[in-house]
Amino acid sequence: MRRLFPVPAETSAEASAAASARAFAEDREWGLGELADAYAYPEPPHGPSGAWLRANMVSSLDGAAHHDGRSKALSSDADMRIFGVLRGLADAVVVGAETVRREGYRPARAREAFAERRAALGQPPAPAIAVVSASLDLDFSRPLFTEPLVPTIVITGATAAEERVGRARAAGAEVVFAGSGPSGRVDAAAVVTALAELGHTRLLTEGGPTLLAEFAAAGVLDELCLAVAPLATAGDAKRIMNGPELREPERFALASVLEEAGFLFTRYRRIYQ
């Protein structure tokens, strides 16, 4: 892996910066600590919403967010290392119910590589998984609900069926209501606010495309970590965001680019006007 951007400028007065530049540009395997430093959340991790919401997605060269229904076909070893690092830094991982079902989500696990860093920030050993579902059409017998190290959070709307709310709680999940409208829809901005009120301010969303589009439309997406795979898929797969067009395009600034085996690992931060 090598860093393509940013690279410290080499000057005679900045020998240490020059050495750092050469180290980052060198194509080598990065340690988990180096990756954690590169992807560290801002401190304090507060965007305008009261938390910092980061998305992690992968896309093919022609814009597909998945192949044959799953994102794994677009991934790589380096992508999975960064996936693990981003989880290791987060308070909570926010994901849509369809993605939970399609990708077979399991609880996040504690990893020794991040234990000291998490303890210093007052985080539990692993991030909570927060599932967004208006219908609560979820299998509460799955390990995601029955075996988590940190209780799974289920975020739903005001009109969720009481029977399903009860099943979620009986399985050990923490149920959070985000959205009070009669439609029963979950309000994307309220999801971030509700998690921040629970103390989860370092947020990571792994999609899917519909949920990510809702976060973008609500103006609460602070950062996008996008892996671009050197693959073409054609077909009719969704883009990484799949929802109504935004009234005005949101502008992001490039923060960093890493490369390994043709995969580009980009990071963009939203520009607030």
Side-chain angles (χ1 to χ4, degrees), residues 165-256:
V165 171
R167 287 177 58 194
R169 287 175 170 157
E174 181 174 3
V175 179
V176 173
F177 294 94
S180 57
S183 69
R185 293 181 60 84
V186 179
D187 180 84
V191 169
V192 176
T193 300
L195 289 170
E197 289 175 349
L198 292 175
H200 301 309
T201 55
R202 300 171 187 84
L203 301 178
L204 170 66
T205 181
E206 296 168 351
T210 300
L211 180 61
L212 185 54
E214 291 173 354
F215 282 136
V220 294
L221 180 63
D222 300 294
E223 183 177 322
L224 174 62
C225 298
L226 175 62
V228 181
L231 303 168
T233 67
D236 58 357
K238 295 177 181 178
R239 295 155 52 189
I240 64 165
M241 293 189 192
N242 185 60
E245 183 176 84
L246 301 185
R247 180 176 299 178
E248 294 290 339
E250 291 285 359
R251 190 164 185 82
F252 288 72
L254 182 64
S256 68

Coordinates of all heavy atoms in Angstrom, one line a residue, residues 165-256:
V165 N -41.4 -4.8 18.2 CA -40.6 -4.1 19.2 C -40.3 -5.0 20.3 O -39.2 -5.1 20.8 CB -41.3 -2.8 19.6 CG1 -40.5 -2.1 20.8 CG2 -41.4 -1.8 18.4
G166 N -41.4 -5.7 20.8 CA -41.2 -6.6 21.9 C -40.2 -7.7 21.6 O -39.4 -8.1 22.5
R167 N -40.3 -8.3 20.4 CA -39.4 -9.3 20.0 C -37.9 -8.8 20.0 O -37.0 -9.6 20.4 CB -39.8 -9.9 18.7 CG -41.0 -10.8 18.7 CD -41.4 -11.2 17.3 NE -40.4 -12.0 16.7 CZ -40.3 -12.2 15.4 NH1 -41.3 -11.8 14.6 NH2 -39.3 -13.0 14.9
A168 N -37.8 -7.6 19.5 CA -36.4 -7.1 19.5 C -35.8 -6.9 20.9 O -34.7 -7.3 21.1 CB -36.4 -5.7 18.8
R169 N -36.6 -6.4 21.8 CA -36.2 -6.2 23.1 C -35.9 -7.5 23.8 O -35.0 -7.7 24.6 CB -37.2 -5.4 23.9 CG -37.2 -3.9 23.5 CD -38.2 -3.1 24.1 NE -38.0 -1.6 23.9 CZ -39.0 -0.7 24.0 NH1 -40.3 -1.1 24.3 NH2 -38.8 0.5 23.7
A170 N -36.8 -8.5 23.6 CA -36.7 -9.8 24.2 C -35.4 -10.5 23.7 O -34.8 -11.3 24.5 CB -37.8 -10.7 23.8
A171 N -34.9 -10.2 22.5 CA -33.7 -10.7 22.0 C -32.4 -10.0 22.5 O -31.3 -10.4 22.3 CB -33.6 -10.6 20.5
G172 N -32.7 -8.9 23.3 CA -31.6 -8.2 23.9 C -31.2 -6.9 23.2 O -30.2 -6.2 23.6
A173 N -31.9 -6.6 22.1 CA -31.6 -5.4 21.4 C -32.1 -4.1 22.1 O -33.1 -4.2 22.8 CB -32.2 -5.4 20.0
E174 N -31.4 -3.0 21.9 CA -31.9 -1.7 22.4 C -32.7 -1.1 21.3 O -32.2 -0.8 20.2 CB -30.7 -0.8 22.8 CG -31.1 0.5 23.4 CD -30.0 1.3 23.9 OE1 -28.8 0.8 23.8 OE2 -30.2 2.4 24.5
V175 N -34.0 -0.7 21.5 CA -34.8 -0.2 20.5 C -34.8 1.4 20.7 O -35.1 1.9 21.8 CB -36.2 -0.7 20.6 CG1 -37.1 -0.1 19.5 CG2 -36.2 -2.2 20.4
V176 N -34.6 2.1 19.6 CA -34.5 3.5 19.6 C -35.5 4.0 18.5 O -35.5 3.4 17.4 CB -33.1 4.0 19.2 CG1 -33.1 5.5 19.0 CG2 -32.1 3.6 20.3
F177 N -36.3 5.0 18.8 CA -37.3 5.5 17.9 C -36.7 6.8 17.3 O -36.3 7.7 18.0 CB -38.6 5.8 18.5 CG -39.3 4.5 19.0 CD1 -39.1 4.1 20.3 CD2 -40.1 3.8 18.1 CE1 -39.7 2.9 20.7 CE2 -40.7 2.6 18.5 CZ -40.5 2.2 19.8
A178 N -36.7 6.9 15.9 CA -36.2 8.1 15.3 C -37.1 8.5 14.1 O -37.1 7.9 13.1 CB -34.8 7.8 14.7
G179 N -38.0 9.4 14.4 CA -39.0 9.8 13.5 C -40.4 9.7 14.1 O -40.7 8.6 14.6
S180 N -41.2 10.7 14.0 CA -42.5 10.7 14.7 C -43.6 10.8 13.7 O -44.8 10.9 14.1 CB -42.5 11.9 15.7 OG -42.3 13.1 15.0
G181 N -43.4 10.9 12.4 CA -44.4 11.1 11.4 C -45.3 9.9 11.3 O -45.0 8.8 11.6
P182 N -46.6 10.1 10.8 CA -47.5 9.0 10.6 C -47.1 8.0 9.6 O -47.7 6.9 9.5 CB -48.8 9.8 10.2 CG -48.4 11.1 9.6 CD -47.1 11.4 10.4
S183 N -46.2 8.4 8.7 CA -45.8 7.4 7.7 C -45.0 6.2 8.3 O -44.9 5.2 7.6 CB -44.9 8.1 6.6 OG -43.6 8.5 7.2
G184 N -44.5 6.4 9.5 CA -43.7 5.4 10.1 C -42.2 5.3 9.6 O -41.5 4.5 10.0
R185 N -41.9 6.2 8.7 CA -40.5 6.2 8.2 C -39.5 6.6 9.2 O -39.8 7.4 10.1 CB -40.4 7.1 6.9 CG -41.2 6.6 5.7 CD -41.0 7.6 4.6 NE -39.6 7.7 4.2 CZ -38.9 6.9 3.4 NH1 -39.6 5.8 2.9 NH2 -37.7 7.0 3.1
V186 N -38.3 6.1 9.1 CA -37.2 6.5 10.0 C -36.6 7.8 9.4 O -36.3 7.8 8.2 CB -36.2 5.4 10.1 CG1 -35.0 5.9 11.0 CG2 -36.8 4.1 10.7
D187 N -36.4 8.8 10.3 CA -35.8 10.0 9.8 C -34.3 9.9 9.9 O -33.8 9.7 11.0 CB -36.4 11.2 10.7 CG -35.8 12.5 10.3 OD1 -36.3 13.1 9.3 OD2 -34.8 12.9 10.9
A188 N -33.6 10.1 8.8 CA -32.2 9.9 8.8 C -31.4 10.9 9.8 O -30.5 10.5 10.4 CB -31.6 10.1 7.4
A189 N -31.9 12.1 9.8 CA -31.2 13.1 10.7 C -31.4 12.7 12.2 O -30.5 12.8 13.0 CB -31.7 14.5 10.4
A190 N -32.6 12.2 12.4 CA -33.0 11.8 13.8 C -32.2 10.6 14.2 O -31.9 10.4 15.4 CB -34.5 11.5 13.9
V191 N -31.8 9.7 13.3 CA -30.9 8.6 13.6 C -29.6 9.0 14.2 O -29.2 8.5 15.3 CB -30.6 7.7 12.3 CG1 -29.5 6.7 12.6 CG2 -31.9 7.0 11.9
V192 N -29.0 10.0 13.6 CA -27.7 10.5 14.1 C -27.9 11.2 15.4 O -27.1 11.0 16.3 CB -27.1 11.5 13.0 CG1 -25.8 12.1 13.6 CG2 -26.8 10.8 11.7
T193 N -28.9 12.0 15.6 CA -29.2 12.7 16.8 C -29.4 11.7 18.0 O -28.9 11.8 19.1 CB -30.4 13.6 16.7 OG1 -30.1 14.6 15.7 CG2 -30.7 14.3 18.0
A194 N -30.2 10.6 17.7 CA -30.5 9.6 18.7 C -29.3 8.9 19.1 O -29.1 8.6 20.3 CB -31.6 8.6 18.2
L195 N -28.4 8.5 18.2 CA -27.2 7.8 18.6 C -26.2 8.7 19.3 O -25.6 8.3 20.3 CB -26.5 7.3 17.3 CG -27.2 6.1 16.6 CD1 -26.6 5.8 15.3 CD2 -27.2 4.9 17.5
A196 N -26.2 10.0 19.0 CA -25.3 11.0 19.7 C -25.8 11.1 21.1 O -25.0 11.2 22.1 CB -25.3 12.3 19.0
E197 N -27.1 11.1 21.3 CA -27.7 11.2 22.7 C -27.3 9.9 23.5 O -27.3 10.0 24.8 CB -29.2 11.4 22.6 CG -29.6 12.7 22.1 CD -31.1 12.9 21.9 OE1 -31.8 11.9 22.0 OE2 -31.6 14.0 21.6
L198 N -27.1 8.8 22.9 CA -26.7 7.6 23.6 C -25.1 7.6 23.8 O -24.6 6.6 24.4 CB -27.0 6.4 22.8 CG -28.5 6.0 22.6 CD1 -28.7 4.8 21.7 CD2 -29.1 5.7 24.0
G199 N -24.5 8.7 23.4 CA -23.0 8.7 23.5 C -22.2 8.2 22.4 O -21.0 8.2 22.4
H200 N -22.9 7.9 21.3 CA -22.2 7.3 20.1 C -22.0 8.5 19.1 O -22.9 8.9 18.3 CB -23.0 6.2 19.4 CG -23.3 5.1 20.3 ND1 -22.3 4.4 21.0 CD2 -24.5 4.4 20.6 CE1 -22.9 3.4 21.7 NE2 -24.2 3.4 21.5
T201 N -20.8 9.1 19.2 CA -20.5 10.3 18.3 C -19.6 10.0 17.2 O -19.5 10.8 16.2 CB -20.0 11.5 19.2 OG1 -18.8 11.0 19.9 CG2 -21.0 11.9 20.2
R202 N -18.9 8.9 17.3 CA -18.0 8.4 16.2 C -18.8 7.3 15.4 O -18.8 6.2 15.7 CB -16.7 7.9 16.7 CG -15.9 8.9 17.5 CD -14.7 8.2 18.1 NE -14.0 9.1 19.0 CZ -14.3 9.4 20.3 NH1 -15.4 8.7 20.8 NH2 -13.7 10.2 21.0
L203 N -19.5 7.8 14.4 CA -20.4 6.9 13.7 C -19.9 6.5 12.3 O -19.2 7.2 11.6 CB -21.8 7.6 13.4 CG -22.5 8.1 14.7 CD1 -23.8 8.8 14.3 CD2 -22.8 6.9 15.7
L204 N -20.1 5.2 12.0 CA -19.7 4.6 10.7 C -20.9 4.0 10.1 O -21.6 3.2 10.7 CB -18.6 3.6 10.9 CG -18.3 2.7 9.7 CD1 -17.6 3.5 8.6 CD2 -17.3 1.6 10.1
T205 N -21.3 4.4 8.8 CA -22.3 3.7 8.1 C -21.7 2.9 7.0 O -20.8 3.4 6.3 CB -23.4 4.6 7.6 OG1 -24.4 3.8 7.0 CG2 -22.9 5.7 6.7
E206 N -22.2 1.7 6.8 CA -21.8 0.8 5.7 C -22.9 0.6 4.7 O -22.9 -0.4 4.0 CB -21.3 -0.6 6.3 CG -20.1 -0.4 7.2 CD -19.8 -1.6 8.0 OE1 -20.6 -2.6 8.1 OE2 -18.7 -1.6 8.7
G207 N -23.9 1.6 4.7 CA -25.0 1.5 3.8 C -26.1 0.7 4.3 O -26.3 0.6 5.5
G208 N -26.9 0.2 3.3 CA -26.7 0.2 1.9 C -26.9 1.5 1.2 O -27.1 2.6 1.9
P209 N -27.0 1.4 -0.1 CA -27.2 2.6 -0.9 C -28.4 3.5 -0.6 O -28.3 4.7 -0.7 CB -27.3 2.1 -2.4 CG -26.5 0.8 -2.3 CD -26.8 0.2 -0.9
T210 N -29.5 2.9 -0.2 CA -30.7 3.7 0.1 C -30.5 4.5 1.4 O -30.8 5.7 1.4 CB -31.9 2.7 0.2 OG1 -32.1 2.0 -1.0 CG2 -33.2 3.5 0.6
L211 N -30.0 3.8 2.4 CA -29.7 4.5 3.7 C -28.7 5.6 3.5 O -28.8 6.7 4.0 CB -29.3 3.5 4.7 CG -29.0 4.1 6.1 CD1 -30.2 4.7 6.7 CD2 -28.4 3.0 7.1
L212 N -27.6 5.3 2.7 CA -26.6 6.4 2.5 C -27.2 7.6 1.8 O -26.9 8.7 2.1 CB -25.4 5.8 1.7 CG -24.2 6.7 1.5 CD1 -23.7 7.2 2.9 CD2 -23.1 5.9 0.8
A213 N -28.0 7.3 0.8 CA -28.7 8.4 0.1 C -29.5 9.3 1.1 O -29.6 10.5 1.0 CB -29.5 7.9 -1.0
E214 N -30.2 8.6 2.0 CA -31.0 9.3 3.0 C -30.2 10.2 3.9 O -30.6 11.3 4.2 CB -31.9 8.3 3.8 CG -33.0 7.6 2.9 CD -33.7 6.5 3.6 OE1 -33.3 6.2 4.8 OE2 -34.6 6.0 3.1
F215 N -29.0 9.6 4.3 CA -28.1 10.4 5.1 C -27.6 11.7 4.4 O -27.6 12.8 4.9 CB -27.0 9.6 5.6 CG -27.3 8.7 6.8 CD1 -26.8 7.4 6.8 CD2 -28.0 9.1 7.9 CE1 -27.0 6.5 7.8 CE2 -28.2 8.3 8.9 CZ -27.8 7.0 8.9
A216 N -27.3 11.5 3.1 CA -26.8 12.6 2.3 C -27.9 13.6 2.1 O -27.7 14.8 2.2 CB -26.3 12.1 0.9
A217 N -29.1 13.2 1.8 CA -30.2 14.1 1.6 C -30.6 14.9 2.9 O -31.0 16.0 2.9 CB -31.5 13.3 1.2
A218 N -30.4 14.2 4.1 CA -30.6 14.9 5.3 C -29.5 15.9 5.8 O -29.6 16.6 6.8 CB -30.8 13.9 6.4
G219 N -28.4 15.9 5.0 CA -27.3 16.8 5.3 C -26.5 16.4 6.5 O -25.9 17.2 7.2
V220 N -26.4 15.1 6.9 CA -25.7 14.6 8.1 C -24.5 13.8 7.7 O -23.9 13.2 8.6 CB -26.6 13.9 9.0 CG1 -27.7 14.8 9.6 CG2 -27.3 12.7 8.4
L221 N -24.2 13.6 6.4 CA -23.0 12.8 6.1 C -21.8 13.7 6.1 O -21.7 14.6 5.3 CB -23.2 12.2 4.7 CG -22.1 11.3 4.2 CD1 -21.8 10.1 5.1 CD2 -22.3 10.9 2.7
D222 N -20.9 13.4 7.0 CA -19.7 14.3 7.2 C -18.5 13.8 6.4 O -17.7 14.6 6.0 CB -19.3 14.3 8.7 CG -20.4 14.9 9.5 OD1 -20.7 16.1 9.4 OD2 -20.9 14.1 10.4
E223 N -18.4 12.5 6.1 CA -17.2 12.0 5.5 C -17.6 10.7 4.7 O -18.4 9.9 5.1 CB -16.2 11.6 6.5 CG -14.9 11.1 6.0 CD -13.9 10.9 7.2 OE1 -13.8 11.7 8.1 OE2 -13.1 9.9 7.1
L224 N -16.9 10.6 3.5 CA -17.1 9.4 2.7 C -15.8 8.7 2.4 O -14.9 9.3 1.9 CB -17.8 9.7 1.4 CG -17.9 8.6 0.3 CD1 -18.8 7.5 0.9 CD2 -18.4 9.1 -1.0
C225 N -15.6 7.5 2.9 CA -14.5 6.6 2.6 C -14.9 5.7 1.4 O -15.7 4.8 1.6 CB -14.0 5.8 3.8 SG -13.5 6.9 5.2
L226 N -14.4 6.0 0.2 CA -14.8 5.2 -0.9 C -13.7 4.4 -1.5 O -12.7 5.0 -1.9 CB -15.4 6.2 -2.0 CG -15.8 5.6 -3.3 CD1 -16.9 4.5 -3.2 CD2 -16.2 6.6 -4.3
A227 N -13.8 3.1 -1.6 CA -12.8 2.3 -2.2 C -13.3 2.1 -3.7 O -14.4 1.7 -3.9 CB -12.7 0.9 -1.5
V228 N -12.4 2.4 -4.6 CA -12.7 2.2 -6.0 C -12.0 1.0 -6.5 O -10.7 1.0 -6.5 CB -12.3 3.5 -6.9 CG1 -12.6 3.2 -8.3 CG2 -13.0 4.7 -6.3
A229 N -12.7 0.0 -6.9 CA -12.1 -1.3 -7.3 C -11.8 -1.3 -8.8 O -12.6 -0.7 -9.6 CB -13.1 -2.5 -7.0
P230 N -10.6 -1.8 -9.2 CA -10.2 -1.8 -10.6 C -11.0 -2.9 -11.4 O -10.4 -3.8 -12.0 CB -8.7 -2.1 -10.6 CG -8.6 -3.0 -9.3 CD -9.6 -2.4 -8.3
L231 N -12.3 -2.9 -11.3 CA -13.2 -3.9 -11.9 C -14.4 -3.2 -12.6 O -14.8 -2.1 -12.2 CB -13.8 -4.8 -10.8 CG -12.8 -5.5 -9.9 CD1 -13.5 -6.1 -8.7 CD2 -12.0 -6.6 -10.7
A232 N -14.8 -3.8 -13.6 CA -16.1 -3.3 -14.3 C -17.1 -4.5 -14.3 O -16.7 -5.6 -14.4 CB -15.8 -3.0 -15.8
T233 N -18.3 -4.1 -14.0 CA -19.4 -5.1 -13.9 C -20.5 -5.0 -14.9 O -21.2 -6.0 -15.1 CB -20.0 -5.0 -12.4 OG1 -20.7 -3.8 -12.3 CG2 -18.9 -5.1 -11.4
A234 N -20.7 -3.8 -15.4 CA -21.9 -3.5 -16.2 C -23.2 -3.9 -15.4 O -23.2 -3.9 -14.2 CB -21.9 -4.3 -17.5
G235 N -24.2 -4.4 -16.0 CA -25.5 -4.7 -15.3 C -26.2 -3.5 -14.8 O -25.9 -2.4 -15.2
D236 N -27.1 -3.8 -13.9 CA -28.0 -2.7 -13.4 C -27.9 -2.5 -11.8 O -28.8 -2.2 -11.2 CB -29.4 -3.0 -13.7 CG -29.9 -4.3 -13.2 OD1 -29.1 -5.1 -12.6 OD2 -31.1 -4.7 -13.4
A237 N -26.7 -2.8 -11.3 CA -26.5 -2.7 -9.9 C -26.6 -1.2 -9.4 O -26.4 -0.3 -10.2 CB -25.1 -3.2 -9.5
K238 N -27.0 -1.1 -8.2 CA -27.2 0.3 -7.6 C -25.9 1.0 -7.5 O -24.8 0.4 -7.4 CB -27.9 0.2 -6.3 CG -29.3 -0.3 -6.3 CD -29.8 -0.4 -4.8 CE -31.2 -1.0 -4.8 NZ -31.7 -1.2 -3.4
R239 N -25.9 2.3 -7.5 CA -24.8 3.1 -7.2 C -24.6 3.1 -5.6 O -25.5 2.6 -4.9 CB -24.9 4.6 -7.7 CG -25.0 4.7 -9.2 CD -25.8 5.9 -9.6 NE -25.3 7.1 -9.0 CZ -25.9 8.3 -9.1 NH1 -27.0 8.4 -9.8 NH2 -25.4 9.4 -8.5
I240 N -23.5 3.7 -5.1 CA -23.4 3.7 -3.7 C -24.4 4.5 -3.0 O -24.7 4.3 -1.8 CB -22.0 4.2 -3.3 CG1 -21.7 5.6 -3.6 CG2 -20.9 3.3 -3.8 CD1 -20.6 6.3 -2.9
M241 N -25.1 5.4 -3.7 CA -26.2 6.1 -3.1 C -27.4 5.9 -4.1 O -27.3 6.2 -5.3 CB -26.0 7.6 -3.0 CG -24.9 8.0 -1.9 SD -24.9 9.8 -1.6 CE -23.4 9.9 -0.6
N242 N -28.5 5.5 -3.6 CA -29.7 5.2 -4.4 C -30.9 5.8 -3.8 O -31.5 5.3 -2.9 CB -29.9 3.7 -4.5 CG -31.0 3.3 -5.4 OD1 -30.9 3.6 -6.6 ND2 -32.0 2.6 -4.9
G243 N -31.2 7.0 -4.2 CA -32.3 7.7 -3.7 C -32.7 9.0 -4.5 O -32.0 9.2 -5.6
P244 N -33.6 9.7 -4.1 CA -34.0 10.9 -4.9 C -32.8 11.9 -5.0 O -31.9 12.0 -4.2 CB -35.1 11.6 -4.0 CG -35.6 10.5 -3.2 CD -34.5 9.6 -2.9
E245 N -32.8 12.6 -6.1 CA -31.8 13.6 -6.4 C -31.8 14.7 -5.4 O -32.8 15.2 -5.0 CB -32.0 14.2 -7.8 CG -30.9 15.1 -8.3 CD -31.1 15.6 -9.7 OE1 -31.9 16.5 -9.9 OE2 -30.6 15.0 -10.6
L246 N -30.6 15.1 -4.9 CA -30.5 16.2 -3.9 C -30.8 17.5 -4.7 O -30.5 17.7 -5.8 CB -29.1 16.3 -3.4 CG -28.5 15.1 -2.6 CD1 -27.2 15.4 -2.0 CD2 -29.5 14.6 -1.6
R247 N -31.4 18.4 -3.9 CA -31.8 19.7 -4.5 C -30.6 20.4 -5.0 O -30.6 20.9 -6.1 CB -32.5 20.6 -3.5 CG -32.9 21.9 -4.0 CD -33.7 22.7 -2.9 NE -34.9 22.0 -2.6 CZ -35.8 22.4 -1.6 NH1 -35.5 23.6 -1.0 NH2 -36.9 21.7 -1.4
E248 N -29.5 20.4 -4.3 CA -28.2 20.9 -4.7 C -27.1 19.9 -4.4 O -27.2 19.3 -3.3 CB -27.9 22.2 -3.9 CG -28.8 23.4 -4.3 CD -28.6 23.9 -5.7 OE1 -27.5 23.6 -6.3 OE2 -29.6 24.5 -6.2
P249 N -26.2 19.6 -5.3 CA -25.1 18.7 -5.0 C -24.3 19.1 -3.7 O -24.0 20.3 -3.6 CB -24.3 18.7 -6.2 CG -25.1 19.2 -7.3 CD -26.1 20.2 -6.6
E250 N -24.0 18.1 -2.9 CA -23.2 18.4 -1.7 C -21.7 18.3 -2.1 O -21.3 17.4 -2.9 CB -23.4 17.4 -0.6 CG -24.8 17.5 0.0 CD -24.9 18.6 1.0 OE1 -23.9 19.3 1.2 OE2 -26.0 18.8 1.6
R251 N -20.9 19.3 -1.7 CA -19.5 19.3 -2.1 C -18.6 18.8 -1.0 O -18.8 19.0 0.2 CB -19.1 20.8 -2.4 CG -17.8 20.9 -3.0 CD -17.5 22.3 -3.6 NE -16.3 22.3 -4.4 CZ -16.1 21.8 -5.6 NH1 -17.1 21.3 -6.2 NH2 -14.9 21.9 -6.2
F252 N -17.7 17.9 -1.4 CA -16.7 17.3 -0.5 C -15.3 17.6 -0.9 O -15.0 17.8 -2.1 CB -16.9 15.8 -0.5 CG -18.2 15.3 0.2 CD1 -19.4 15.5 -0.4 CD2 -18.1 14.7 1.4 CE1 -20.6 15.0 0.3 CE2 -19.2 14.2 2.1 CZ -20.5 14.4 1.5
A253 N -14.4 17.7 0.0 CA -13.0 17.9 -0.3 C -12.2 16.6 -0.1 O -12.4 15.9 0.8 CB -12.4 19.0 0.7
L254 N -11.2 16.4 -1.0 CA -10.4 15.2 -0.9 C -9.5 15.3 0.3 O -8.7 16.3 0.4 CB -9.6 15.0 -2.2 CG -8.7 13.8 -2.3 CD1 -9.5 12.5 -2.3 CD2 -7.8 13.9 -3.6
A255 N -9.5 14.3 1.1 CA -8.7 14.3 2.3 C -7.5 13.4 2.2 O -6.4 13.7 2.7 CB -9.5 13.9 3.6
S256 N -7.6 12.2 1.5 CA -6.5 11.3 1.4 C -6.8 10.3 0.3 O -8.0 10.0 0.0 CB -6.1 10.6 2.7 OG -7.2 9.7 3.1

